[in-house]
Amino acid sequence: MHQFISGQSQTGTSGRKLDIVDPSTGAVVETVTLASAADVDLAVAAARAAFPAWSTTTPGERSAVLSRFARLLEDQAEDYALAESRQTGKPLRLAREFDIPGTIDNADFFAGAARSLEGKATAEYSPDHTSSIRREPIGVIGSISPWNYPLQMAAWKILPAIAAGNTIVLKPAEITPLTTLMFARTLQQAGLPDGVVNIIVGDGPEAGAALMRHPEVDMVSFTGSTSVGRTVLEAASTNSKRVHLELGGKAPFVVFEDADLEAAAHGAVAGSLINTGQDCTAATRAIVHHSVYEEFVTKVAELYRGIRVGAPADEETDIGPMVSYAHRDRVASIVDRARGYATVVTGGVIPGGDLAAGAFYTPTLIIDAAPDSEIVRNEVFGPVLTVLPFATDDDAIALANDTPYGLAASAWTRDVYRSLRASREIKAGCVWINDHIPIISEMPHGGVKESGFGKDMSAYSFDEYTQIKHVMFDITGIAHKDWHRTIYRLR
């Protein structure tokens, strides 16, 4: 049973089944019956019924549930890592050392955030009144999370929402729902009341559309592609829901001539290949000063050739398969088209032998591509890095911003003035200096331009899931106030 509604595991009623496949072998991990629009109605009704009680619990009570959840997640960490690796194909090492610890830290952070409600000081901003700010939950949140980081993305949506006193219905990507369902059950073990978190496993056209358009959903939160994000925005506009979108990216990786080239090369490899490149903040466009361009390409190519592509459970594996054969073939087709106008330095191969049964693809380094080419402009979402040369700092900033996206970027330089300029002028929600990809619970994640709006993680994310109410008290006790005379005179 792969729906979790009002604290109960249920079977979807669409009648349509979907196999959850291990992309490293093609083996079926589980088979789910997908949710229908009727299941979405049940989940939203459960969330709506749970809202009055949960929204009026104290911050301390909500914090206690999340703290217990974090400790349970620590105890169950290996089970989560195994499930996450099986359904996504990501190396077990990555799941154990990145996905699970990050999720535990998020839980601890939002346990604290629940007790830290900020607002303008209560005061007499008018001489006759005392004003105060209430920060209140929004209501029922409808969320859709992606397949690349199923556990972490579920945490980024669920934890701030419920810490703020909301209830939620979340639809994970239907091809990777297992750890999201585990997440809800562990929250239940931690004492979360039934109906506060509900999980719907269904496809986008039926379950996703029903959730985004549901009249009883007060806010929608979506992480995924920019094209689908536009559809979500249109759906939410039908009844003026609050919207949070974290969409695609095409992150520039700017290497100035004074950069530590060894550090930059290693950073480019890690930043471009994390999660087999299936990361919206991954380094995808290395923009390198022409004086160090050839050396940078040589260093990265050498490191790429040493990357171990292999079985996720093997501790020696650096990158595993892509999430599905269809996605692997999409990435391969983009690279194959690029061969007609650019140079593949290394990679660009679907491996055979022991890896032939999986959705594997080798790390791919591409040069000589024009800035307006497909490989440079479009989100590939795979282990592919293009390298472009630049001549001046102005050129570097212009190339970095020559994209409809604006999620993340990095700049590599020893010059403090250059780094300050890059952090100020590159249009992105996050700019790293001399590193690429680290994230922390205390700082926000989110983009600008076609990468969406709204923040995940941090207190800024907590704010996304609250609404502000101004409360104003008369402190004079005077029945006939002077300002009334501006409206009418006593006769």
Side-chain angles (χ1 to χ4, degrees):
M1 294 189 288
H2 292 91
Q3 315 298 325
F4 189 81
I5 300 173
S6 196
Q8 300 294 318
S9 295
Q10 301 182 22
T11 300
T13 62
S14 73
R16 293 180 291 117
K17 296 185 181 297
L18 178 71
D19 290 335
I20 309 303
V21 175
D22 180 342
S24 69
T25 63
V28 174
V29 178
E30 288 192 37
T31 299
V32 302
T33 302
L34 298 176
S36 66
D39 296 319
V40 173
D41 287 341
L42 288 174
V44 173
R48 178 61 64 193
F51 178 72
W54 181 247
S55 63
T56 54
T57 56
T58 66
E61 289 170 317
R62 298 196 294 270
S63 176
V65 170
L66 294 182
S67 291
R68 289 194 295 271
F69 169 74
R71 305 290 74 78
L72 287 169
L73 191 53
E74 284 179 331
D75 294 341
Q76 300 167 20
E78 186 64 9
D79 292 336
Y80 273 91
L82 290 168
E84 191 79 335
S85 179
R86 281 199 307 271
Q87 68 178 352
T88 63
K90 68 177 63 191
L92 196 51
R93 189 173 80 228
L94 180 67
R96 284 172 174 156
E97 298 179 16
F98 181 73
D99 297 70
I100 312 306
T103 304
I104 293 168
D105 191 64
N106 284 172
D108 280 324
F109 176 83
F110 283 109
R115 305 185 75 157
S116 182
L117 301 177
E118 295 187 354
K120 198 172 183 69
T122 297
E124 289 67 51
Y125 299 98
S126 152
D128 296 336
H129 306 84
T130 296
S131 286
S132 67
I133 292 294
R134 289 184 58 84
R135 187 177 289 277
E136 298 179 342
I138 294 166
V140 176
I141 313 299
S143 291
I144 296 179
S145 57
W147 49 256
N148 57 334
Y149 291 102
L151 177 63
Q152 288 205 82
M153 298 297 100
W156 287 12
K157 296 193 177 304
I158 292 171
L159 295 173
I162 65 174
N166 301 284
T167 57
I168 187 168
V169 178
L170 185 139
K171 189 196 88 65
E174 63 270 27
I175 62 172
T176 56
L178 303 181
T179 50
T180 306
L181 290 162
M182 292 171 65
F183 192 99
R185 294 184 189 111
T186 304
L187 278 168
Q188 185 181 47
Q189 293 169 19
L192 188 73
D194 294 346
V196 175
V197 170
N198 307 274
I199 308 299
I200 290 294
V201 180
D203 62 18
E206 183 169 3
L211 182 59
M212 295 298 99
R213 294 181 181 277
H214 204 288
E216 288 296 313
V217 168
D218 300 297
M219 171 182 169
V220 297
S221 175
F222 171 80
T223 296
S225 70
T226 296
S227 60
V228 178
R230 294 190 188 102
T231 302
V232 170
L233 191 59
E234 291 169 2
S237 70
T238 59
N239 54 357
S240 303
K241 302 180 193 302
R242 185 183 289 198
V243 181
H244 174 284
L245 299 175
E246 197 269 275
L247 307 176
K250 192 69 180 177
F253 185 100
V254 182
V255 182
F256 293 96
E257 68 266 32
D258 65 326
D260 180 335
L261 212 58
E262 184 75 6
H266 282 269
V269 172
S272 62
L273 299 184
I274 185 172
N275 206 37
T276 318
Q278 300 167 127
D279 187 309
C280 49
T281 62
T284 59
R285 297 180 296 137
I287 299 166
V288 182
H289 192 267
H290 64 81
S291 66
V292 295
Y293 177 86
E294 290 188 7
E295 185 180 357
F296 177 85
V297 169
T298 299
K299 285 179 177 291
V300 172
E302 181 180 356
L303 291 168
Y304 263 26
R305 293 185 186 109
I307 293 294
R308 173 80 176 271
V309 181
D314 188 339
E315 283 292 325
E316 296 301 311
T317 290
D318 295 316
I319 67 170
M322 310 204 73
V323 74
S324 69
Y325 302 100
H327 186 59
R328 189 270 313 275
D329 293 345
R330 174 190 169 276
V331 170
S333 69
I334 295 173
V335 173
D336 287 344
R337 288 194 294 273
R339 298 180 199 276
Y341 56 80
T343 302
V344 176
V345 177
T346 187
V349 174
I350 296 175
D354 293 341
L355 303 181
F360 294 93
Y361 197 69
T362 56
T364 305
L365 184 65
I366 295 176
I367 61 172
D368 301 329
D372 62 352
S373 61
E374 178 190 29
I375 198 74
V376 175
R377 298 288 296 175
N378 294 355
E379 189 174 32
V380 178
F381 223 60
V384 179
L385 177 67
T386 59
V387 189
L388 305 168
F390 73 87
T392 69
D393 287 12
D394 288 345
D395 294 337
I397 300 295
L399 281 169
N401 288 331
D402 185 22
T403 174
Y405 300 108
L407 186 58
S410 65
W412 299 72
T413 176
R414 292 183 173 95
D415 186 323
V416 65
Y417 299 104
R418 242 180 199 148
S419 67
L420 288 170
R421 181 188 178 189
S423 66
R424 183 175 65 250
E425 295 187 16
I426 293 177
K427 305 305 181 187
C430 173
V431 179
W432 294 288
I433 304 298
N434 295 324
D435 209 343
H436 193 106
I437 227 72
I439 54 173
I440 51 174
S441 296
E442 290 82 359
M443 287 291 137
H445 173 90
V448 297
K449 301 195 289 186
E450 290 193 18
S451 289
F453 47 83
K455 300 299 180 185
D456 290 315
M457 297 196 300
S458 80
Y460 296 100
S461 173
F462 187 73
D463 291 349
E464 295 277 340
Y465 293 93
T466 63
Q467 52 193 353
I468 302 302
K469 179 186 288 184
H470 172 213
V471 180
M472 198 172 199
F473 299 86
D474 172 73
I475 58 174
T476 66
I478 297 172
H480 305 298
K481 297 180 171 59
D482 288 343
W483 77 267
H484 293 173
R485 306 292 77 74
T486 65
I487 311 302
Y488 71 99
R489 294 180 181 275
L490 285 176
R491 299 288 194 269

mmCIF file of all heavy atoms in Angstrom, residues 222-262:
data_model
loop_
_atom_site.group_PDB
_atom_site.id
_atom_site.type_symbol
_atom_site.label_atom_id
_atom_site.label_comp_id
_atom_site.label_asym_id
_atom_site.label_seq_id
_atom_site.Cartn_x
_atom_site.Cartn_y
_atom_site.Cartn_z
ATOM 1 N N PHE A 222 6.365 23.539 -5.358
ATOM 2 C CA PHE A 222 6.782 22.605 -6.404
ATOM 3 C C PHE A 222 8.277 22.721 -6.627
ATOM 4 O O PHE A 222 8.826 23.828 -6.738
ATOM 5 C CB PHE A 222 6.039 22.921 -7.714
ATOM 6 C CG PHE A 222 6.551 22.155 -8.908
ATOM 7 C CD1 PHE A 222 6.159 20.839 -9.127
ATOM 8 C CD2 PHE A 222 7.429 22.741 -9.811
ATOM 9 C CE1 PHE A 222 6.636 20.126 -10.232
ATOM 10 C CE2 PHE A 222 7.903 22.049 -10.915
ATOM 11 C CZ PHE A 222 7.507 20.734 -11.122
ATOM 12 N N THR A 223 8.945 21.579 -6.732
ATOM 13 C CA THR A 223 10.329 21.516 -7.168
ATOM 14 C C THR A 223 10.386 20.596 -8.376
ATOM 15 O O THR A 223 9.930 19.454 -8.322
ATOM 16 C CB THR A 223 11.260 20.996 -6.066
ATOM 17 O OG1 THR A 223 11.255 21.913 -4.973
ATOM 18 C CG2 THR A 223 12.691 20.862 -6.585
ATOM 19 N N GLY A 224 10.943 21.107 -9.472
ATOM 20 C CA GLY A 224 11.024 20.324 -10.690
ATOM 21 C C GLY A 224 11.431 21.197 -11.858
ATOM 22 O O GLY A 224 12.055 22.249 -11.686
ATOM 23 N N SER A 225 11.065 20.786 -13.058
ATOM 24 C CA SER A 225 11.495 21.490 -14.258
ATOM 25 C C SER A 225 10.764 22.825 -14.409
ATOM 26 O O SER A 225 9.647 23.008 -13.918
ATOM 27 C CB SER A 225 11.233 20.628 -15.492
ATOM 28 O OG SER A 225 9.853 20.530 -15.748
ATOM 29 N N THR A 226 11.410 23.727 -15.123
ATOM 30 C CA THR A 226 10.813 25.037 -15.356
ATOM 31 C C THR A 226 9.533 24.926 -16.169
ATOM 32 O O THR A 226 8.550 25.637 -15.912
ATOM 33 C CB THR A 226 11.819 25.951 -16.076
ATOM 34 O OG1 THR A 226 12.943 26.169 -15.192
ATOM 35 C CG2 THR A 226 11.214 27.298 -16.425
ATOM 36 N N SER A 227 9.499 24.024 -17.142
ATOM 37 C CA SER A 227 8.303 23.892 -17.975
ATOM 38 C C SER A 227 7.103 23.448 -17.151
ATOM 39 O O SER A 227 5.998 23.992 -17.302
ATOM 40 C CB SER A 227 8.558 22.902 -19.115
ATOM 41 O OG SER A 227 8.904 21.620 -18.613
ATOM 42 N N VAL A 228 7.286 22.475 -16.271
ATOM 43 C CA VAL A 228 6.174 22.038 -15.416
ATOM 44 C C VAL A 228 5.850 23.116 -14.388
ATOM 45 O O VAL A 228 4.689 23.310 -14.018
ATOM 46 C CB VAL A 228 6.499 20.697 -14.733
ATOM 47 C CG1 VAL A 228 5.366 20.275 -13.801
ATOM 48 C CG2 VAL A 228 6.753 19.611 -15.776
ATOM 49 N N GLY A 229 6.865 23.840 -13.932
ATOM 50 C CA GLY A 229 6.640 24.922 -12.981
ATOM 51 C C GLY A 229 5.679 25.972 -13.520
ATOM 52 O O GLY A 229 4.848 26.512 -12.775
ATOM 53 N N ARG A 230 5.771 26.257 -14.814
ATOM 54 C CA ARG A 230 4.831 27.215 -15.411
ATOM 55 C C ARG A 230 3.401 26.679 -15.330
ATOM 56 O O ARG A 230 2.459 27.443 -15.061
ATOM 57 C CB ARG A 230 5.211 27.476 -16.869
ATOM 58 C CG ARG A 230 6.554 28.182 -17.057
ATOM 59 C CD ARG A 230 6.732 28.616 -18.500
ATOM 60 N NE ARG A 230 8.077 29.117 -18.728
ATOM 61 C CZ ARG A 230 9.044 28.414 -19.318
ATOM 62 N NH1 ARG A 230 8.793 27.188 -19.775
ATOM 63 N NH2 ARG A 230 10.244 28.934 -19.487
ATOM 64 N N THR A 231 3.245 25.378 -15.545
ATOM 65 C CA THR A 231 1.919 24.762 -15.449
ATOM 66 C C THR A 231 1.378 24.859 -14.031
ATOM 67 O O THR A 231 0.189 25.133 -13.815
ATOM 68 C CB THR A 231 1.988 23.288 -15.887
ATOM 69 O OG1 THR A 231 2.482 23.218 -17.226
ATOM 70 C CG2 THR A 231 0.627 22.631 -15.836
ATOM 71 N N VAL A 232 2.260 24.623 -13.044
ATOM 72 C CA VAL A 232 1.855 24.729 -11.638
ATOM 73 C C VAL A 232 1.415 26.156 -11.324
ATOM 74 O O VAL A 232 0.396 26.386 -10.651
ATOM 75 C CB VAL A 232 3.015 24.297 -10.721
ATOM 76 C CG1 VAL A 232 2.712 24.634 -9.263
ATOM 77 C CG2 VAL A 232 3.286 22.804 -10.876
ATOM 78 N N LEU A 233 2.150 27.129 -11.830
ATOM 79 C CA LEU A 233 1.822 28.535 -11.583
ATOM 80 C C LEU A 233 0.455 28.879 -12.167
ATOM 81 O O LEU A 233 -0.364 29.564 -11.540
ATOM 82 C CB LEU A 233 2.900 29.426 -12.193
ATOM 83 C CG LEU A 233 2.887 30.909 -11.816
ATOM 84 C CD1 LEU A 233 3.014 31.091 -10.318
ATOM 85 C CD2 LEU A 233 4.011 31.641 -12.548
ATOM 86 N N GLU A 234 0.197 28.383 -13.353
ATOM 87 C CA GLU A 234 -1.106 28.617 -13.980
ATOM 88 C C GLU A 234 -2.226 27.948 -13.177
ATOM 89 O O GLU A 234 -3.294 28.536 -12.967
ATOM 90 C CB GLU A 234 -1.097 28.078 -15.411
ATOM 91 C CG GLU A 234 -0.191 28.869 -16.357
ATOM 92 C CD GLU A 234 0.002 28.166 -17.683
ATOM 93 O OE1 GLU A 234 -0.593 27.079 -17.874
ATOM 94 O OE2 GLU A 234 0.742 28.693 -18.526
ATOM 95 N N ALA A 235 -1.977 26.718 -12.716
ATOM 96 C CA ALA A 235 -3.000 26.006 -11.941
ATOM 97 C C ALA A 235 -3.304 26.736 -10.642
ATOM 98 O O ALA A 235 -4.469 26.874 -10.247
ATOM 99 C CB ALA A 235 -2.537 24.583 -11.655
ATOM 100 N N ALA A 236 -2.268 27.220 -9.977
ATOM 101 C CA ALA A 236 -2.463 27.899 -8.696
ATOM 102 C C ALA A 236 -3.188 29.225 -8.865
ATOM 103 O O ALA A 236 -3.874 29.691 -7.941
ATOM 104 C CB ALA A 236 -1.114 28.129 -8.023
ATOM 105 N N SER A 237 -3.068 29.824 -10.039
ATOM 106 C CA SER A 237 -3.699 31.129 -10.263
ATOM 107 C C SER A 237 -5.218 31.036 -10.328
ATOM 108 O O SER A 237 -5.910 32.051 -10.194
ATOM 109 C CB SER A 237 -3.168 31.753 -11.553
ATOM 110 O OG SER A 237 -3.637 31.048 -12.694
ATOM 111 N N THR A 238 -5.747 29.832 -10.513
ATOM 112 C CA THR A 238 -7.197 29.685 -10.647
ATOM 113 C C THR A 238 -7.940 30.112 -9.387
ATOM 114 O O THR A 238 -9.071 30.564 -9.467
ATOM 115 C CB THR A 238 -7.584 28.233 -11.007
ATOM 116 O OG1 THR A 238 -7.104 27.353 -9.987
ATOM 117 C CG2 THR A 238 -6.986 27.833 -12.350
ATOM 118 N N ASN A 239 -7.308 29.960 -8.221
ATOM 119 C CA ASN A 239 -7.948 30.463 -6.999
ATOM 120 C C ASN A 239 -6.938 31.140 -6.074
ATOM 121 O O ASN A 239 -7.045 31.086 -4.856
ATOM 122 C CB ASN A 239 -8.714 29.354 -6.271
ATOM 123 C CG ASN A 239 -7.872 28.143 -5.977
ATOM 124 O OD1 ASN A 239 -6.704 28.087 -6.359
ATOM 125 N ND2 ASN A 239 -8.443 27.170 -5.285
ATOM 126 N N SER A 240 -5.942 31.778 -6.696
ATOM 127 C CA SER A 240 -5.020 32.699 -5.995
ATOM 128 C C SER A 240 -4.300 32.067 -4.810
ATOM 129 O O SER A 240 -4.204 32.644 -3.721
ATOM 130 C CB SER A 240 -5.777 33.949 -5.532
ATOM 131 O OG SER A 240 -6.392 34.590 -6.623
ATOM 132 N N LYS A 241 -3.776 30.868 -5.012
ATOM 133 C CA LYS A 241 -2.982 30.228 -3.964
ATOM 134 C C LYS A 241 -1.609 30.894 -3.862
ATOM 135 O O LYS A 241 -1.082 31.399 -4.850
ATOM 136 C CB LYS A 241 -2.760 28.746 -4.290
ATOM 137 C CG LYS A 241 -4.019 27.924 -4.475
ATOM 138 C CD LYS A 241 -3.638 26.488 -4.801
ATOM 139 C CE LYS A 241 -4.817 25.684 -5.301
ATOM 140 N NZ LYS A 241 -5.926 25.642 -4.371
ATOM 141 N N ARG A 242 -1.037 30.839 -2.678
ATOM 142 C CA ARG A 242 0.371 31.209 -2.561
ATOM 143 C C ARG A 242 1.202 30.140 -3.266
ATOM 144 O O ARG A 242 0.874 28.952 -3.213
ATOM 145 C CB ARG A 242 0.787 31.307 -1.097
ATOM 146 C CG ARG A 242 2.230 31.805 -0.931
ATOM 147 C CD ARG A 242 2.673 31.834 0.513
ATOM 148 N NE ARG A 242 2.020 32.875 1.275
ATOM 149 C CZ ARG A 242 2.472 33.327 2.452
ATOM 150 N NH1 ARG A 242 3.573 32.820 2.982
ATOM 151 N NH2 ARG A 242 1.820 34.269 3.102
ATOM 152 N N VAL A 243 2.295 30.553 -3.928
ATOM 153 C CA VAL A 243 3.085 29.636 -4.742
ATOM 154 C C VAL A 243 4.562 29.727 -4.369
ATOM 155 O O VAL A 243 5.099 30.820 -4.161
ATOM 156 C CB VAL A 243 2.915 29.940 -6.251
ATOM 157 C CG1 VAL A 243 3.728 28.950 -7.090
ATOM 158 C CG2 VAL A 243 1.457 29.886 -6.657
ATOM 159 N N HIS A 244 5.185 28.559 -4.296
ATOM 160 C CA HIS A 244 6.631 28.441 -4.069
ATOM 161 C C HIS A 244 7.173 27.530 -5.161
ATOM 162 O O HIS A 244 6.719 26.395 -5.305
ATOM 163 C CB HIS A 244 6.868 27.846 -2.676
ATOM 164 C CG HIS A 244 8.289 27.530 -2.356
ATOM 165 N ND1 HIS A 244 8.946 26.438 -2.869
ATOM 166 C CD2 HIS A 244 9.191 28.151 -1.548
ATOM 167 C CE1 HIS A 244 10.188 26.405 -2.390
ATOM 168 N NE2 HIS A 244 10.352 27.431 -1.591
ATOM 169 N N LEU A 245 8.138 28.025 -5.949
ATOM 170 C CA LEU A 245 8.677 27.253 -7.067
ATOM 171 C C LEU A 245 10.196 27.190 -6.989
ATOM 172 O O LEU A 245 10.861 28.236 -6.896
ATOM 173 C CB LEU A 245 8.281 27.888 -8.408
ATOM 174 C CG LEU A 245 6.787 27.992 -8.737
ATOM 175 C CD1 LEU A 245 6.600 28.754 -10.042
ATOM 176 C CD2 LEU A 245 6.146 26.615 -8.822
ATOM 177 N N GLU A 246 10.742 25.988 -7.019
ATOM 178 C CA GLU A 246 12.196 25.804 -7.165
ATOM 179 C C GLU A 246 12.379 24.990 -8.435
ATOM 180 O O GLU A 246 12.056 23.802 -8.476
ATOM 181 C CB GLU A 246 12.763 25.096 -5.937
ATOM 182 C CG GLU A 246 14.279 25.244 -5.819
ATOM 183 C CD GLU A 246 15.050 24.122 -6.495
ATOM 184 O OE1 GLU A 246 15.253 23.086 -5.867
ATOM 185 O OE2 GLU A 246 15.435 24.322 -7.681
ATOM 186 N N LEU A 247 12.898 25.658 -9.478
ATOM 187 C CA LEU A 247 12.873 25.073 -10.806
ATOM 188 C C LEU A 247 14.277 24.743 -11.308
ATOM 189 O O LEU A 247 15.168 24.444 -10.522
ATOM 190 C CB LEU A 247 12.132 26.032 -11.752
ATOM 191 C CG LEU A 247 10.733 26.442 -11.253
ATOM 192 C CD1 LEU A 247 10.099 27.454 -12.181
ATOM 193 C CD2 LEU A 247 9.837 25.229 -11.080
ATOM 194 N N GLY A 248 14.483 24.796 -12.616
ATOM 195 C CA GLY A 248 15.735 24.325 -13.196
ATOM 196 C C GLY A 248 16.916 25.248 -12.970
ATOM 197 O O GLY A 248 16.789 26.341 -12.416
ATOM 198 N N GLY A 249 18.064 24.795 -13.411
ATOM 199 C CA GLY A 249 19.283 25.591 -13.290
ATOM 200 C C GLY A 249 20.285 25.249 -14.377
ATOM 201 O O GLY A 249 20.204 24.201 -15.015
ATOM 202 N N LYS A 250 21.204 26.152 -14.580
ATOM 203 C CA LYS A 250 22.297 25.939 -15.540
ATOM 204 C C LYS A 250 23.504 26.679 -14.989
ATOM 205 O O LYS A 250 23.934 27.698 -15.506
ATOM 206 C CB LYS A 250 21.895 26.465 -16.923
ATOM 207 C CG LYS A 250 22.816 26.047 -18.055
ATOM 208 C CD LYS A 250 22.722 24.567 -18.367
ATOM 209 C CE LYS A 250 23.659 24.202 -19.516
ATOM 210 N NZ LYS A 250 23.638 22.752 -19.799
ATOM 211 N N ALA A 251 24.032 26.152 -13.886
ATOM 212 C CA ALA A 251 24.954 26.903 -13.050
ATOM 213 C C ALA A 251 26.289 27.195 -13.730
ATOM 214 O O ALA A 251 26.971 26.284 -14.194
ATOM 215 C CB ALA A 251 25.206 26.150 -11.752
ATOM 216 N N PRO A 252 26.686 28.473 -13.773
ATOM 217 C CA PRO A 252 28.026 28.824 -14.253
ATOM 218 C C PRO A 252 29.076 28.568 -13.186
ATOM 219 O O PRO A 252 28.819 28.706 -11.987
ATOM 220 C CB PRO A 252 27.903 30.316 -14.556
ATOM 221 C CG PRO A 252 26.855 30.801 -13.608
ATOM 222 C CD PRO A 252 25.886 29.658 -13.438
ATOM 223 N N PHE A 253 30.264 28.229 -13.655
ATOM 224 C CA PHE A 253 31.411 27.918 -12.798
ATOM 225 C C PHE A 253 32.552 28.762 -13.356
ATOM 226 O O PHE A 253 33.227 28.368 -14.308
ATOM 227 C CB PHE A 253 31.698 26.412 -12.907
ATOM 228 C CG PHE A 253 32.774 25.866 -12.012
ATOM 229 C CD1 PHE A 253 32.448 25.214 -10.833
ATOM 230 C CD2 PHE A 253 34.123 25.958 -12.360
ATOM 231 C CE1 PHE A 253 33.440 24.672 -10.018
ATOM 232 C CE2 PHE A 253 35.113 25.419 -11.554
ATOM 233 C CZ PHE A 253 34.770 24.779 -10.381
ATOM 234 N N VAL A 254 32.738 29.966 -12.807
ATOM 235 C CA VAL A 254 33.624 30.966 -13.414
ATOM 236 C C VAL A 254 35.017 30.860 -12.805
ATOM 237 O O VAL A 254 35.188 31.012 -11.589
ATOM 238 C CB VAL A 254 33.063 32.382 -13.224
ATOM 239 C CG1 VAL A 254 33.969 33.410 -13.905
ATOM 240 C CG2 VAL A 254 31.634 32.468 -13.778
ATOM 241 N N VAL A 255 36.005 30.609 -13.657
ATOM 242 C CA VAL A 255 37.396 30.453 -13.210
ATOM 243 C C VAL A 255 38.226 31.608 -13.761
ATOM 244 O O VAL A 255 38.502 31.682 -14.965
ATOM 245 C CB VAL A 255 37.980 29.103 -13.676
ATOM 246 C CG1 VAL A 255 39.401 28.946 -13.153
ATOM 247 C CG2 VAL A 255 37.102 27.946 -13.214
ATOM 248 N N PHE A 256 38.621 32.524 -12.881
ATOM 249 C CA PHE A 256 39.464 33.656 -13.283
ATOM 250 C C PHE A 256 40.920 33.211 -13.363
ATOM 251 O O PHE A 256 41.298 32.156 -12.835
ATOM 252 C CB PHE A 256 39.289 34.811 -12.309
ATOM 253 C CG PHE A 256 37.913 35.430 -12.344
ATOM 254 C CD1 PHE A 256 36.930 35.035 -11.440
ATOM 255 C CD2 PHE A 256 37.584 36.388 -13.295
ATOM 256 C CE1 PHE A 256 35.658 35.603 -11.473
ATOM 257 C CE2 PHE A 256 36.319 36.949 -13.341
ATOM 258 C CZ PHE A 256 35.353 36.557 -12.422
ATOM 259 N N GLU A 257 41.747 34.042 -14.004
ATOM 260 C CA GLU A 257 43.126 33.613 -14.268
ATOM 261 C C GLU A 257 43.967 33.479 -13.013
ATOM 262 O O GLU A 257 44.986 32.787 -12.995
ATOM 263 C CB GLU A 257 43.819 34.567 -15.248
ATOM 264 C CG GLU A 257 44.097 35.967 -14.724
ATOM 265 C CD GLU A 257 42.984 36.943 -15.098
ATOM 266 O OE1 GLU A 257 41.816 36.502 -15.192
ATOM 267 O OE2 GLU A 257 43.296 38.133 -15.270
ATOM 268 N N ASP A 258 43.547 34.130 -11.901
ATOM 269 C CA ASP A 258 44.322 34.057 -10.660
ATOM 270 C C ASP A 258 43.824 32.953 -9.731
ATOM 271 O O ASP A 258 44.262 32.846 -8.594
ATOM 272 C CB ASP A 258 44.254 35.401 -9.932
ATOM 273 C CG ASP A 258 42.849 35.733 -9.454
ATOM 274 O OD1 ASP A 258 41.883 35.362 -10.159
ATOM 275 O OD2 ASP A 258 42.704 36.344 -8.385
ATOM 276 N N ALA A 259 42.888 32.134 -10.193
ATOM 277 C CA ALA A 259 42.317 31.084 -9.336
ATOM 278 C C ALA A 259 43.341 30.001 -9.021
ATOM 279 O O ALA A 259 44.302 29.784 -9.766
ATOM 280 C CB ALA A 259 41.108 30.453 -10.035
ATOM 281 N N ASP A 260 43.129 29.313 -7.916
ATOM 282 C CA ASP A 260 43.869 28.094 -7.608
ATOM 283 C C ASP A 260 43.328 27.026 -8.555
ATOM 284 O O ASP A 260 42.249 26.474 -8.340
ATOM 285 C CB ASP A 260 43.639 27.704 -6.149
ATOM 286 C CG ASP A 260 44.384 26.442 -5.727
ATOM 287 O OD1 ASP A 260 44.685 25.596 -6.602
ATOM 288 O OD2 ASP A 260 44.641 26.276 -4.521
ATOM 289 N N LEU A 261 44.080 26.734 -9.606
ATOM 290 C CA LEU A 261 43.561 25.887 -10.671
ATOM 291 C C LEU A 261 43.351 24.442 -10.211
ATOM 292 O O LEU A 261 42.436 23.760 -10.675
ATOM 293 C CB LEU A 261 44.490 25.938 -11.885
ATOM 294 C CG LEU A 261 43.796 25.781 -13.242
ATOM 295 C CD1 LEU A 261 42.747 26.859 -13.426
ATOM 296 C CD2 LEU A 261 44.808 25.823 -14.370
ATOM 297 N N GLU A 262 44.192 23.985 -9.304
ATOM 298 C CA GLU A 262 44.022 22.635 -8.773
ATOM 299 C C GLU A 262 42.697 22.533 -8.016
ATOM 300 O O GLU A 262 41.927 21.579 -8.199
ATOM 301 C CB GLU A 262 45.190 22.290 -7.844
ATOM 302 C CG GLU A 262 45.170 20.869 -7.309
ATOM 303 C CD GLU A 262 45.585 19.819 -8.342
ATOM 304 O OE1 GLU A 262 46.005 20.205 -9.452
ATOM 305 O OE2 GLU A 262 45.473 18.630 -8.034
#
